[in-house]
Amino acid sequence: MNAGWRAALRLAALRLAIPPAAFWRLSLAEWRALTEVPAAPVLTRQALDALIARFPDDQTSMRETP
């Protein structure tokens, strides 16, 4: 068994609590569905405006250097 499969089996057994026999029965699509990283939420204009209002730029640190 190569290192990639060992890591996948360890992830399945320890983090996902999938028994080895069930792990080996998973299809590739099922495995990907279990282990995919969710997409990051989109920053909307409204959320950006709220962040800008909450954390305004410090104008003293924005001075241009010659």
Side-chain angles (χ1 to χ4, degrees):
M1 182 183 308
N2 70 28
W5 280 113
R6 271 189 294 249
L9 185 55
R10 193 170 27 260
L11 172 69
L14 299 177
R15 293 182 119 200
L16 303 176
I18 297 172
F23 169 80
W24 291 113
R25 287 192 305 267
L26 290 173
S27 70
L28 183 56
E30 291 168 328
W31 174 250
R32 286 181 176 165
L34 288 172
T35 60
E36 72 184 347
V37 177
V42 175
L43 182 63
T44 63
R45 182 62 195 201
Q46 182 179 5
L48 176 60
D49 290 339
L51 284 171
I52 291 170
R54 186 170 176 194
F55 302 103
D57 289 336
D58 179 8
Q59 296 302 317
T60 60
S61 66
M62 301 296 282
R63 294 183 194 147
E64 290 185 31
T65 56

